[in-house]
């Protein structure tokens, strides 16, 4: 799946066997602070509901076996249709309670009370509790929190306070202010040894369940477990107000323009080219690499597209760059992804032979150029590249640079709100 | 200036004589949490630096006599050029210190140490302290905070906590969590009787000046003044991270599409039409009404445009709707306001006579339609309306609805990132 930088991927396989980490995602909030018609977790950001963005972020992580999304009764069908529409695979929908704590408790019961729920989910060693409205969760922080939970019984992400915290007296005047440096904001994700948090929920009283919000507090109060606090990144913030939806949408747009799917359908020695391009690009942007013949497997591509790898580089050796390009555009059109923002598609025609006919290659590129002009009306920006590739060379930096440039230009277009499009460039 | 809803305007004139309220705006932050090349207060939002948005919000309020913007030495010239470029009138730039408290103290000294600074600013009764990075400050909360400061000596805006606040023990584990309902986040604006906050700053020690951030705390510690805490709106949040810049920009865009300048150049009975339109619109959107002949006073219009009233309704009686429209488009082009987002200009041609030649009116509108097609390339969206107006009628709701619809459509275009434009509609 999506390649990720940093050491996280290296470490995790040593630490847990499959099936020992699960996640509970309370998504039952009413969104009253947002002031919108629907709860914020169901608001669409770039055409996809917020809860689906968050679920996808968790699903990308292979060592999380099950994701329990807890929603209020009235939103169960909505959530099920989201799972179907966006192709979520490891999600179980559970009915929530009237408060956050009651919802989380319901989510945990699914593992512990198999007989009650007729659910074959395996009880995890560690359970992550996250929020449906924190979509920018990365593997590295999850790994840190889960490891710390295994060592300490409980762990949670924290952030420095942005504002000073004050206490008021009964007359609404300042009683005292807290020294900002000594306190932290408790954010998500949090993680617990399953038995600890489940026991804490079992022991806590109705007041806790109705008025409390902090899981770390329950673990401390009922299980004497002092959670390890882990400094997290600013991205962990919670979408609370309308302005946060604006911010989340802009970040998603920004991320999309930095995400590329490299598609190759090459055999033998030529496979190396795809690998080299991937290596060159991955230090700049997030790259997913797949090897597939576009003509054969539409479903597979549809799933990739729904997974939101929204820029594409399609590499061909030999003939028919045009046909493959057209095929991918058809898939993009069917998936409707280009309705809201431009999709960049770079069709790279590699010439590895030294005797190729220049005129026939140019003919193919001219067809792509005309095709590009036509599909740009559909918000799909096609670029055609012809490259004479020397097999001896390990260096595709020139191509990497060019492709990065295209991606940056796309982002720039967003920011300006304009739509200047170049079609069919050749090098 | 800009008309505002709510009772605030009614009350303020009873409460203070001119010259008794001033504001200090610390703008010396380095913006390191933002991760941008320049401090966030100088980042451009919709083409205008954040500090200018905030200063403008304060400047719109007539009962604030002076605004002191405190910036670091290296940004003094930047700030002065911002004042000149955006036509700020009541701002004095002061050099800041190395910390927030030292900067605020420098700002206050300008009033108290006239001899030192050779500055003729009158010492205010109440001083508002706000942040350059909180651009969405409204008159009602300022009024509440200033009134409370007059009664209590000090006052500040607060907000509910979004996250639970936790304290950690020495080993980085949870020590305890605070009960969220008992605490509040201290936000801005704050206000003080000048003598109290000035005395507090004079008495406080270097540790306070170097490590403290909370003015309310100083007033309590050194002057035993318990600040009144006033619940503020979510808009008071502080632009801290990159995501906040995204959010602020989206809010500004949203506000702009809800702001209209009605321009009339009418005499006698016809003046009433402009008034009626203004009354009809103002319950839906923010309306500024000016009466000016476009051909005569470019400078005045330039200032309006820089004040960011970005949609225009131009009302004409009799002839030459076209000429006036063309004139306003020229001014808009010169001001470069349409570079980043579309400006809507609705040219309303009122026919108050019963004997007017229909064909000559239609001719004028046809010219506007052609003109509209041309200027939409420059991101200025011109609509032409022809209205047969019966002087007896007090009702312009139809027109109000239509204009509101145009404005909403513009906002919709933003959100979709598309640009479908209608030109030259007639009713």
């Amino acid at each position: 799946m999506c390649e990720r930088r940093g050491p996280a991927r290296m470490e995790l396989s040593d630490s847990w066997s499959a099936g020992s980490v699960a996640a509970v995602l309370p998504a039952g909030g009413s969104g009253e602070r947002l002031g919108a018609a629907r709860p914020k977790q169901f608001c669409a950001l770039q055409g996809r509901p917020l809860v689906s963005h968050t679920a996808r972020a968790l699903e990308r992580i292979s060592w999380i076996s099950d994701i329990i999304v807890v929603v209020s009764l009235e939103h169960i069908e909505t959530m099920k249709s989201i799972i179907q529409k966006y192709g979520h695979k490891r999600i179980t929908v559970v009915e929530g309670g009237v408060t956050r704590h009651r919802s989380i408790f319901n989510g945990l019961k699914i593992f512990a009370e198999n007989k009650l729920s007729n659910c074959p989910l395996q009880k995890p060693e560690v359970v992550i509790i996250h929020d449906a409205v924190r979509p920018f969760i990365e593997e590295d922080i999850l790994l840190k929190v889960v490891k710390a939970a295994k060592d300490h019984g409980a762990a949670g992400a924290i952030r420095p306070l942005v504002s000073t915290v004050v206490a008021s007296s009964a007359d609404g005047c300042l009683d005292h202010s807290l020294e900002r440096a000594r306190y932290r904001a408790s954010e998500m994700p949090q993680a617990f040894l399953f038995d600890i948090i489940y026991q804490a929920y079992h022991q806590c009283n109705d007041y806790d369940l109705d008025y409390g919000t902090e899981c770390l507090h329950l673990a401390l109060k009922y299980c004497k477990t002092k959670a390890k606090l882990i400094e997290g990144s600013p991205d962990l913030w919670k979408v609370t107000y309308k302005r946060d939806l604006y911010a989340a949408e802009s970040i998603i747009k920004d991320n999309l323009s930095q995400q590329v799917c490299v598609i190759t359908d090459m055999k033998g020695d030529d496979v190396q080219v795809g690998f080299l391009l991937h290596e060159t690009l991955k230090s700049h942007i997030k790259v997913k690499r797949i090897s597939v013949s576009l003509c054969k497997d539409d479903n597979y591509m549809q799933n990739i597209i729904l997974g939101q790898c929204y820029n594409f580089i399609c590499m061909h050796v030999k003939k028919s760059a045009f046909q493959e390009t057209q095929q991918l555009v058809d898939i993009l059109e069917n998936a409707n992804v280009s309705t809201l923002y431009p999709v960049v598609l770079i069709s790279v025609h590699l010439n590895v032979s030294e005797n190729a006919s220049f005129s026939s290659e140019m003919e193919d590129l001219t067809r792509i150029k005309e095709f590009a002009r036509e599909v740009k009306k559909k918000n799909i920006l096609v670029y055609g590249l012809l490259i004479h590739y020397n097999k001896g060379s390990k260096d595709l930096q020139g191509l990497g640079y060019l492709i990065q440039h295209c991606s940056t230009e796309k982002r720039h277009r967003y920011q300006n709100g304009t739509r200047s499009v170049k079609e069919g460039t050749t090098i």
Side-chain angles (χ1 to χ4, degrees), chain A:
Chain A
M1 296 297 286
C2 228
E3 293 292 316
R4 311 173 68 75
R5 275 169 283 165
R9 186 161 286 273
M10 297 295 291
E11 295 170 34
L12 65 97
S13 58
D14 310 333
S15 310
W16 290 282
S17 57
S20 66
V21 181
V24 171
L25 209 59
S30 66
E32 56 195 42
R33 281 180 291 188
L34 189 79
R38 73 180 82 181
K40 58 197 174 224
Q41 61 273 27
F42 298 114
C43 287
L45 297 183
Q46 291 293 112
R48 181 196 277 265
L50 184 51
V51 64
S52 173
H53 283 283
T54 312
R56 188 173 61 94
L58 292 174
E59 236 173 11
R60 284 184 317 200
I61 295 161
S62 57
W63 47 268
I64 298 178
S65 56
D66 294 295
I67 301 160
I68 310 300
V69 177
V70 192
V71 296
S72 63
L73 179 62
E74 65 188 297
H75 290 110
I76 284 182
E77 286 312 311
T78 309
M79 193 60 220
K80 284 185 175 166
S81 68
I82 289 170
I83 289 171
Q84 193 172 22
K85 183 168 179 192
Y86 298 97
H88 293 294
K89 300 290 181 207
R90 279 177 278 158
I91 292 183
T92 304
V93 182
V94 168
E95 185 186 331
V98 291
T99 63
R100 178 179 156 81
H101 268 335
R102 290 189 188 275
S103 289
I104 295 170
F105 195 12
N106 283 7
L108 295 172
K109 281 177 187 163
I110 221 74
F111 297 109
E113 297 169 16
N114 268 347
K115 280 179 194 165
L116 273 179
S117 62
N118 289 325
C119 176
L121 297 182
Q122 189 193 338
K123 191 185 90 171
E125 181 185 0
V126 175
V127 63
I128 294 166
I129 298 176
H130 191 59
D131 279 326
V133 291
R134 301 183 194 249
F136 305 110
I137 176 78
E138 292 287 350
E139 186 169 355
D140 57 350
I141 181 74
L142 278 166
L143 193 66
K144 279 184 197 163
V145 170
V146 168
K147 275 173 173 286
K150 214 180 169 190
D151 293 342
H152 294 263
I158 52 168
R159 288 284 307 155
L161 293 172
V162 169
S163 306
T164 300
V165 174
V166 295
S168 65
S169 47
D171 58 353
C173 286
L174 176 69
D175 185 74
H176 64 279
S177 54
L178 303 182
E179 203 180 323
R180 209 195 286 186
R182 289 194 50 213
Y183 291 87
R184 290 287 182 279
S186 172
E187 307 288 346
M188 292 278 151
Q190 295 177 350
F192 303 86
L193 287 174
F194 183 85
D195 293 334
I196 284 182
I197 191 69
Y198 193 61
Q199 190 189 334
Y201 270 108
H202 256 294
Q203 290 180 10
C204 74
N205 57 35
D206 279 346
Y207 184 86
D208 289 320
L209 288 174
D210 289 336
Y211 298 102
T213 53
E214 181 58 70
C215 304
L216 301 183
H217 173 70
L218 295 187
L220 179 64
K221 186 171 170 191
Y222 293 103
C223 300
K224 310 283 175 269
T225 301
K226 291 186 131 194
K228 181 72 178 175
L229 303 176
I230 311 278
E231 291 279 350
S233 76
D235 293 341
L236 293 177
W237 107 106
K238 178 168 147 191
V239 172
T240 307
Y241 300 107
K242 198 175 174 187
R243 65 168 189 263
D244 296 315
L245 280 178
Y246 288 141
E249 182 137 45
S250 297
I251 292 170
I252 290 167
K253 276 184 184 170
D254 228 28
N255 289 347
L256 285 177
S257 70
Q258 291 292 327
Q259 230 163 281
V260 156
C261 178
V262 178
I263 304 167
T264 55
D265 177 22
M266 295 188 282
K267 305 280 180 296
D269 279 3
D270 305 331
V271 170
Q272 201 195 357
V273 179
F275 177 75
L276 285 176
L277 178 64
H278 176 240
E279 288 300 299
T280 307
L281 284 173
K282 79 176 186 187
S283 57
H284 305 293
I285 46 181
K286 286 189 179 170
V287 193
K288 170 186 257 173
R289 184 163 65 97
I290 57 168
S291 184
V292 62
S293 165
L294 286 174
C295 306
K296 287 179 198 149
D297 196 350
D298 266 28
N299 269 348
Y300 183 59
M301 278 307 295
Q302 285 279 6
N303 281 341
I304 300 287
I305 287 164
L306 289 171
Q308 277 184 335
C309 245
Y310 274 149
N311 299 313
F312 295 88
I313 301 168
C314 214
M315 300 195 70
H316 327 267
V317 184
K318 299 173 210 157
K319 54 191 164 86
S320 106
F322 178 66
Q323 212 179 347
E324 296 258 304
T325 307
Q326 207 171 19
Q327 183 80 19
L328 184 51
V329 166
D330 286 348
I331 296 172
L332 288 169
E333 272 193 75
N334 288 338
N336 265 332
V337 287
S338 62
T339 325
L340 288 169
Y341 47 89
V343 174
V344 174
L345 163 57
I346 303 173
S347 179
V348 184
H349 194 172
L350 277 182
N351 181 4
V352 290
S353 129
E354 281 167 21
N355 310 319
S357 146
F358 186 72
S359 68
S360 80
E361 283 163 351
M362 283 310 290
E363 206 178 285
D364 222 18
L365 278 171
T366 305
R367 286 173 73 195
I368 290 185
K369 194 167 176 174
E370 280 159 17
F371 180 63
R373 205 168 289 149
E374 190 189 309
V375 299
K376 95 173 174 191
K377 292 172 202 151
K378 297 165 185 164
N379 221 358
I380 298 169
L381 315 179
V382 174
Y383 297 70
L385 300 178
L386 169 62
I387 293 175
H388 287 268
Y389 172 64
N390 177 352
K391 281 194 184 187
S393 163
K394 302 262 184 237
D395 192 339
L396 277 177
Q397 288 205 343
L399 178 59
Y401 171 76
L402 187 76
I403 287 166
Q404 224 206 330
H405 174 74
C406 293
S407 169
T408 311
E409 196 186 283
K410 179 187 162 194
R411 194 173 67 247
H412 194 64
R413 262 199 309 281
Y414 275 138
Q415 286 166 350
N416 281 346
T418 64
R419 288 272 193 84
S420 65
V421 181
K422 284 195 218 156
E423 322 102 302
T425 314
T426 61
I427 56 168

